[in-house]
């Protein structure tokens, strides 16, 4: 579809559907902290908890995009903090390859799929991250149009 | 057309049977959506080869660029095929940046007929827009899909487009006297090689196809160059499968089948050719696990031929040599 048509459909009240994969030990706890501390962030995300960011296979991301997610965020512990020692390093490696070979070649905007590290103490950062991500996707418009 | 139903009627969740957790089939499904316009990298295309968006001859690459995600050295199939075609054709070859999957895997693997039809429509539109008349592919599965399955859905497909596998293409050009095979094997003892027939180029084609015989005829010619061709125990339409067509069912049984195939290859020669990217992927995957078969060199038909083709040209100026 052409760029202009895309813009027309990009109404102000477009609410994106975002999927967030959080690892159990850091990012999920971070998200929890954001909730407990009452930091506000847009309600567009759905969180899926996995044990480690290394669990996330590119097929999960692709399936999410196929089934209507407008953006996918993968988050895990900071490098070196993974509770399974090197899970997030695998995640990073896989993510970079996926970005370059799968997402980009499919013609999907790269900003729709992101990888971020969020630790258990970064509740504030989690809220900010989600706000920023949501705004970015709102800017891009729906994937399906 | 109803064969895919078997899997569904077996009441199995097909998604569980897909190899590589469904990465490649999901990509196919995404590509069928109207809002997706792939932007494939053409980095692998060498600078001296002219490509275009419009023209009469299309090289349909297939999903090879996506396979780079997990497999190394798969690009070489696309590269050598393109080199072969561009040596022979004078006009620039059409390569699509926004090429999509032919739909073979969702059709055979999961039986998602609607997605298959969507893809077919999208593909045909793209071909028509670019004014294609001949489609050349190096993928056995794409070939069978274009040759047999698309015409079943769209009757005029085979009138509008001529579909050729690279084997067929090379064979025709050779018979027409446009090319010859060069490049003698210099070593003392001859190199023996064998050929693995992909299912889609043997038993899955209508009976009157001549591809298996054409392939043998080309290989016979290689005897003069010091390459001797040996058949494996199972060959032509009786050949053993690589076990994982359409990215389905990569399990111990298909591995056993592949191992058996590799043993056959080992006793037939030191090089094993095939003409399907997936056969190459799957057969060479097993080589990491088993040392006794790791000595066999598996390569694609076009990879093997690319340095053995010379164009015979009457007006010498456009002669391309390699
Ligand atoms: S446990 Fe958090 S990334 Fe591995």
């Amino acid at each position: 579809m052409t760029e202009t048509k895309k813009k027309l459909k990009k109404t102000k009240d477009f609410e994106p559907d975002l999927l967030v994969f959080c690892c159990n030990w850091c990012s999920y706890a971070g998200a929890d902290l954001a909730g407990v501390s009452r930091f506000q962030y847009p309600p567009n995300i759905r969180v899926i908890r996995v044990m480690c960011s290394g669990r996330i296979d590119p097929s999960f991301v692709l399936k999410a995009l196929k089934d209507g997610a407008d953006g996918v965020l993968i988050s895990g512990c900071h490098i070196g903090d993974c509770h399974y020692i090197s899970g997030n390093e695998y995640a990073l490696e896989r993510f970079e390859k996926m970005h370059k070979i799968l997402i980009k070649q499919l013609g999907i905007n790269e900003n729709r799929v992101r990888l971020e590290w969020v630790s258990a103490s970064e509740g504030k950062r989690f809220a900010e991250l989600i706000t920023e991500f949501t705004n970015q996707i709102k800017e891009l418009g729906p994937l399906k149009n | 057309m109803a064969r895919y139903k078997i899997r569904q009627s077996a009441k199995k969740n097909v998604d569980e049977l897909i190899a590589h957790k469904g990465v490649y089939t999901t990509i196919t499904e995404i590509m069928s959506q109207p809002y997706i316009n792939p932007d494939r990298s053409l980095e692998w295309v060498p600078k001296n080869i002219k490509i275009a968006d419009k023209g009469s001859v299309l090289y349909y690459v297939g999903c090879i660029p996506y396979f780079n995600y997990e497999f190394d050295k798969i690009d070489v199939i696309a590269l050598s095929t393109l080199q072969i075609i561009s040596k022979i054709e004078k006009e620039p070859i059409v390569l699509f940046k926004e090429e999509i999957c032919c739909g073979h895997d969702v059709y055979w693997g999961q039986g998602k007929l609607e997605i298959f039809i969507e893809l077919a429509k999208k593909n045909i539109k793209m071909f028509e827009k670019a004014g294609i008349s001949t489609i050349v592919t190096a993928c056995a599965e794409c070939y069978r899909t274009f040759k047999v399955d698309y015409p079943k859905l769209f009757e005029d497909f085979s009138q509008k487009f001529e579909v050729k596998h690279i084997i067929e293409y090379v064979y025709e050009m050779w018979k027409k006297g446009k090319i010859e095979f060069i490049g003698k094997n210099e070593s003392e003892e001859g190199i023996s090689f064998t050929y693995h027939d992909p299912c889609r180029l043997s038993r899955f084609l209508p009976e009157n196809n001549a591809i298996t015989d054409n392939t043998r005829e080309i290989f016979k010619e290689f005897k003069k160059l010091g390459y001797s061709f040996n058949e494996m125990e199972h060959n032509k339409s009786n050949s053993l499968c690589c076990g994982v067509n359409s990215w389905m069912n990569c399990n111990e049984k298909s591995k056993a089948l592949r191992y058996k195939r590799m043993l056959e290859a080992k006793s037939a020669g030191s090089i094993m050719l095939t003409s399907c990217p997936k056969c190459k992927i799957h057969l060479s995957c097993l080589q990491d696990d088993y040392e006794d078969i790791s000595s066999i060199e598996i390569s694609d038909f076009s990879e093997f031929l690319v340095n053995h083709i010379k164009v015979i040209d009457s007006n010498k100026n456009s002669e391309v040599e390699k």
Side-chain angles (χ1 to χ4, degrees):
Chain A
M1 210 162 267
T2 53
E3 208 47 40
T4 42
K5 234 178 183 177
K6 229 183 215 171
K7 274 196 186 117
L8 278 180
K9 282 206 174 174
K10 217 192 289 170
T11 44
K12 270 252 158 57
D13 39 46
F14 158 60
E15 292 295 340
D17 291 323
L18 306 175
L19 198 66
V20 180
F21 290 103
C22 286
C23 89
N24 186 34
W25 304 104
C26 287
S27 314
Y28 195 79
D32 213 19
L33 184 64
V36 178
S37 334
R38 308 194 170 213
F39 295 130
Q40 295 219 340
Y41 60 81
N44 300 63
I45 62 161
R46 306 281 180 281
V47 178
I48 293 183
R49 176 162 61 156
V50 288
M51 285 311 275
C52 174
S53 60
R55 172 70 182 93
I56 295 151
D57 193 272
S59 67
F60 300 173
V61 177
L62 291 168
K63 274 178 195 159
L65 292 173
K66 183 195 94 190
D67 290 337
D70 296 301
V72 181
L73 176 73
I74 301 168
S75 67
C77 315
H78 286 272
I79 294 286
D81 287 354
C82 172
H83 286 233
Y84 306 95
I85 300 166
S86 53
N88 50 8
E89 285 164 26
Y90 291 125
L92 179 64
E93 195 184 310
R94 218 176 285 155
F95 176 81
E96 278 169 356
K97 260 189 151 179
M98 167 178 80
H99 227 198
K100 191 166 139 246
I101 298 176
L102 305 179
I103 303 294
K104 188 157 175 264
Q105 291 203 94
L106 274 174
I108 295 174
N109 192 311
E110 285 164 81
N111 292 332
R112 287 186 192 275
V113 183
R114 271 171 72 170
L115 176 73
E116 295 286 345
W117 308 130
V118 177
S119 84
S121 60
E122 293 176 323
K124 179 110 188 124
R125 190 173 120 73
F126 184 83
E128 280 165 7
L129 183 67
I130 298 301
T131 318
E132 190 223 310
F133 189 45
T134 312
N135 289 339
Q136 197 177 29
I137 302 294
K138 269 190 184 162
E139 192 82 348
L140 285 171
L143 178 63
K144 264 185 203 189
N145 65 14
Chain B
M1 190 149 266
R3 257 187 251 187
Y4 69 92
K5 284 189 179 153
I6 295 172
R7 241 177 212 135
Q8 286 182 339
S9 63
K11 297 235 170 50
K12 279 207 169 162
N13 179 4
V14 278
D15 289 344
E16 276 169 21
L17 305 171
I18 308 173
H20 299 271
K21 303 196 185 67
V23 172
Y24 302 105
T25 44
T26 316
I27 288 179
T28 305
E29 284 183 50
I30 293 178
M31 279 191 270
S32 73
Q33 309 288 1
Y35 54 87
I36 291 290
N37 286 312
D39 174 25
R40 314 199 331 168
S41 112
L42 295 178
E43 262 167 34
W44 54 273
V45 179
K47 292 259 149 49
N48 57 352
I49 291 182
K50 280 203 196 76
I51 53 170
D53 315 328
K54 283 195 163 69
S56 60
V57 182
L58 164 76
Y59 169 39
Y60 188 85
V61 187
C63 295
I64 290 174
Y66 300 105
F67 295 166
N68 277 337
Y69 165 62
E70 267 169 303
F71 313 103
D72 303 331
K73 295 193 230 122
I74 279 297
D75 269 0
V76 62
I77 300 178
L79 177 65
S80 27
T81 312
L82 186 66
Q83 275 169 339
I84 294 177
I85 307 174
S86 67
K87 261 189 215 179
I88 299 169
E89 294 298 325
K90 293 198 184 70
E91 261 132 62
I93 315 299
V94 184
L95 267 188
F96 289 138
K97 221 173 157 45
E98 66 283 356
E99 187 186 302
I100 54 165
C101 177
C102 66
H104 171 278
D105 296 349
V106 286
Y107 174 58
W108 288 90
Q110 297 140 284
K112 294 185 173 161
L113 204 54
E114 287 114 42
I115 291 175
F116 178 70
I117 293 171
E118 275 319 306
L119 284 165
K121 279 188 197 151
K122 243 180 136 176
N123 262 318
I124 292 173
K125 219 163 127 198
M126 212 179 327
F127 297 159
E128 275 172 351
K129 215 173 123 202
I132 308 294
S133 61
T134 311
I135 304 167
V136 185
T137 175
C139 173
E141 296 180 324
C142 297
Y143 177 73
R144 136 101 211 190
T145 310
F146 289 148
K147 194 90 183 170
V148 182
D149 298 323
Y150 277 18
K152 272 189 208 156
L153 293 168
F154 306 95
E155 271 153 20
D156 52 351
F157 186 84
S158 44
Q159 281 131 43
K160 276 196 256 172
F161 311 106
E162 205 180 340
V163 186
K164 279 188 191 144
H165 193 275
I166 187 76
I167 296 179
E168 220 179 348
Y169 182 76
V170 167
Y171 179 80
E172 272 171 27
M173 290 300 160
W174 175 50
K175 282 284 140 176
K176 274 189 204 158
K178 282 198 180 164
I179 56 169
E180 60 181 347
F181 301 120
I182 52 151
K184 221 170 165 38
N185 159 34
E186 299 299 339
S187 65
E188 290 270 300
E189 69 243 47
I191 296 174
S192 59
F193 70 102
T194 183
Y195 177 67
H196 166 79
D197 289 274
C199 316
R200 263 59 180 173
L201 282 189
S202 50
R203 58 181 159 266
F204 275 61
L205 286 181
E207 250 163 46
N208 53 11
N209 90 87
I211 287 204
T212 46
D213 297 326
N214 295 352
T215 321
R216 266 58 183 192
E217 220 174 297
I218 295 175
F219 290 158
K220 236 183 234 159
E221 189 70 14
F222 270 83
K223 185 122 210 189
K224 290 179 200 155
L225 304 174
Y227 293 91
S228 60
F229 172 65
N230 296 328
E231 286 286 7
M232 277 187 264
E233 197 186 323
H234 294 90
N235 55 53
K236 295 189 182 170
S237 60
N238 200 18
S239 80
L240 293 184
C241 177
C242 75
V244 201
N245 87 72
S246 325
W247 300 114
M248 297 301 278
N249 291 323
C250 187
N251 52 25
E252 64 280 11
K253 294 182 195 77
S254 64
K255 278 198 181 134
L257 184 61
R258 250 177 284 161
Y259 185 67
K260 205 171 152 195
R261 188 58 165 169
M262 291 301 280
L263 290 183
E264 281 186 10
K266 200 181 174 191
S267 56
S270 58
I271 303 177
M272 181 198 220
L273 299 186
T274 178
S275 45
C276 172
K278 276 183 208 155
C279 288
K280 190 184 168 192
I281 289 174
H282 296 132
L283 291 167
S284 40
C285 165
L286 205 66
Q287 286 186 313
D288 301 337
D289 302 346
Y290 295 91
E291 225 167 73
D292 54 335
I293 50 170
S294 60
S295 62
I296 308 164
E297 190 192 323
I298 303 173
S299 62
D300 194 78
F301 178 83
S302 53
E303 225 178 307
F304 179 69
L305 245 78
V306 68
N307 292 329
H308 290 290
I309 286 182
K310 192 182 160 205
V311 179
I312 309 170
D313 212 290
S314 41
N315 40 339
K316 283 246 159 66
N317 50 9
S318 60
E319 186 164 322
V320 196
E321 256 178 84
K322 174 105 197 199

